Amino acid sequence: MRQTILVTGATGTVGHEIVKQLAMQDVTVRAGVHSVIKGENLKRLPGVEIVEVDFNDPDSLHAAFTNIDQMVLITPLSEDQLQMARNLVEEAKKQGVKYIVRLSALGAGAEPGIQLERWHREMERYVEESGIPYTILRPAGFMQNLVTYSAASIKRESKFYMPVGEGKVSYIDTRDIASVAVEVLLSGEHQGKVYELTGPEALSHQEIAEVLGEATGKQIDFVDVPEETVRQAMLAHHTPVPIADAILELYATYKAGKSANVTDTVQEVTGRPPHSFRQFANDYQECF
Ligand SMILES: NC(=O)c1ccc[n+]([C@@H]2O[C@H](COP(=O)([O-])OP(=O)(O)OC[C@H]3O[C@@H](n4cnc5c(N)ncnc54)[C@H](OP(=O)(O)O)[C@@H]3O)[C@@H](O)[C@H]2O)c1
């Protein structure tokens, strides 16, 4: 029987890519969207149903989870993410979901870890303790973060700013995270596994600037800035203090070179090598 797969956070960086890739398969995809306007693009994909869902609203969760077989559980980075993850797992239990793929984060297994990792580890535990078969994906930082957070300043002034010094990071392309999620969902051969996913290499942000410059044909500079400058910018954009602190703690691990580990997991699971940063830069050059 044709499976119905719910993807939560379906308009997000990873979520929309998973929906796109699942739409090419013989499954029904239920795209759980928070804002219907952001979900407009997904409507045109074959086999995709759109369902409006608020992770804090039990009625909308009930509707989203009715008659689904499997789900991809993605929550946003927010102050109430733990409660959201709990609500989602409880609803999955109530409605007899048969398999959960959870989008976590690299380092969630670290002891004692940083705050972002501890939050993710806590949410992984809800999934593990649910009794529902699961697979956990722990990706490194996303290459697409450059689009989300830095493209505007690159377009404006050919510069991007981060408090990360010369630290190298093994960023991953979200298209590869999605490919792993799709393979895991469709093959049924990865239950109980935890996969640490990275790109094929670790690059410094100076190197990233060079590659972006080559892809776009313009001089792009990375500017190392003090943590405090970034904190003030995040607070000015109404980022809650605990989230701003957690992001700065992550940047400190980047700066210390602790986020440079590279794994072969994308290749092992999908049979294809992950996108290099150069491929990403070429494919997304228009964003910069
Ligand atoms: N960014 C990274 O480098 C990175 C690396 C590793 C792991 N992660 C983890 O990956 C996960 C997703 O991150 P992301 O960057 O892909 O996030 P994202 O693009 O912001 O996606 C989050 C999604 O959740 C939806 N959402 C927000 N509040 C909701 C609510 N109350 N009810 C229903 N849906 C809601 C958003 O929809 P709206 O926009 O319409 O609100 C959006 O579609 C997070 O747990 C993050 O910690 C991120």
Side-chain angles (χ1 to χ4, degrees):
M1 216 183 72
R2 198 175 156 97
Q3 298 277 307
T4 299
I5 303 176
L6 170 67
V7 180
T8 68
T11 58
T13 335
V14 177
H16 92 272
E17 203 50 58
I18 295 178
V19 172
K20 261 169 57 185
Q21 293 190 24
L22 277 177
M24 293 188 271
Q25 305 293 330
D26 185 23
V27 294
T28 299
V29 189
R30 191 170 300 166
V33 306
H34 190 211
S35 109
V36 179
I37 296 173
K38 286 193 195 168
E40 279 300 316
N41 285 342
L42 301 176
K43 265 190 190 159
R44 291 183 219 112
L45 298 169
V48 175
E49 305 170 349
I50 304 289
V51 60
E52 207 175 336
V53 61
D54 181 340
F55 299 154
N56 292 316
D57 170 14
D59 288 343
S60 79
L61 284 182
H62 180 80
F65 277 75
T66 300
N67 295 330
I68 64 156
D69 300 291
Q70 310 184 43
M71 73 174 297
V72 181
L73 200 171
I74 301 177
T75 43
L77 173 57
S78 68
E79 280 186 293
D80 51 356
Q81 60 185 331
L82 268 63
Q83 186 58 47
M84 289 179 178
R86 216 179 282 135
N87 295 346
L88 287 160
V89 171
E90 284 307 313
E91 193 61 36
K93 277 159 64 178
K94 259 191 235 162
Q95 300 217 30
V97 172
K98 297 185 206 78
Y99 182 42
I100 298 177
V101 175
R102 165 65 183 160
L103 181 70
S104 180
L106 196 65
E111 295 280 349
I114 58 173
Q115 183 61 68
L116 281 174
E117 296 163 351
R118 289 193 292 274
W119 282 330
H120 271 293
R121 182 67 197 118
E122 180 76 19
M123 294 185 280
E124 287 181 357
R125 283 205 185 92
Y126 303 153
V127 175
E128 290 166 5
E129 290 164 8
S130 68
I132 301 172
Y134 64 85
T135 302
I136 289 171
L137 308 183
R138 292 179 177 163
F142 306 157
M143 293 179 186
Q144 280 75 0
N145 290 349
L146 265 297
V147 178
T148 311
Y149 303 113
S150 303
S153 74
I154 292 175
K155 273 205 160 155
R156 200 173 50 239
E157 48 184 315
S158 298
K159 290 188 176 129
F160 66 102
Y161 303 82
M162 290 174 74
V164 294
E166 294 176 10
K168 293 193 179 220
V169 179
S170 53
Y171 286 115
I172 183 167
D173 192 310
T174 55
R175 293 173 293 183
D176 295 318
I177 305 171
S179 300
V180 170
V182 169
E183 169 62 26
V184 157
L185 284 161
L186 300 185
S187 74
E189 288 172 5
H190 302 270
Q191 292 189 4
K193 299 274 172 55
V194 178
Y195 289 132
E196 307 210 319
L197 307 173
T198 73
E201 68 209 321
L203 295 177
S204 70
H205 293 73
Q206 291 83 358
E207 289 168 324
I208 284 172
E210 266 171 46
V211 177
L212 283 176
E214 283 160 19
T216 57
K218 58 185 187 186
Q219 170 75 36
I220 293 176
D221 293 316
F222 159 65
V223 185
D224 183 28
V225 280
E227 258 192 24
E228 191 51 31
T229 308
V230 178
R231 180 193 304 276
Q232 292 310 326
M234 285 195 282
L235 298 184
H237 283 91
H238 309 291
T239 306
V241 171
I243 300 291
D245 286 345
I247 292 171
L248 289 172
E249 197 185 10
L250 175 70
Y251 285 154
T253 69
Y254 286 4
K255 187 168 184 166
K258 292 179 183 164
S259 301
N261 191 33
V262 170
T263 71
D264 291 332
T265 317
V266 171
Q267 168 91 51
E268 281 164 11
V269 175
T270 66
R272 295 184 303 276
H275 291 83
S276 65
F277 191 80
R278 188 170 297 278
Q279 286 171 301
F280 161 82
N282 288 336
D283 293 346
Y284 284 75
Q285 52 166 297
E286 284 180 6
C287 301
F288 303 102

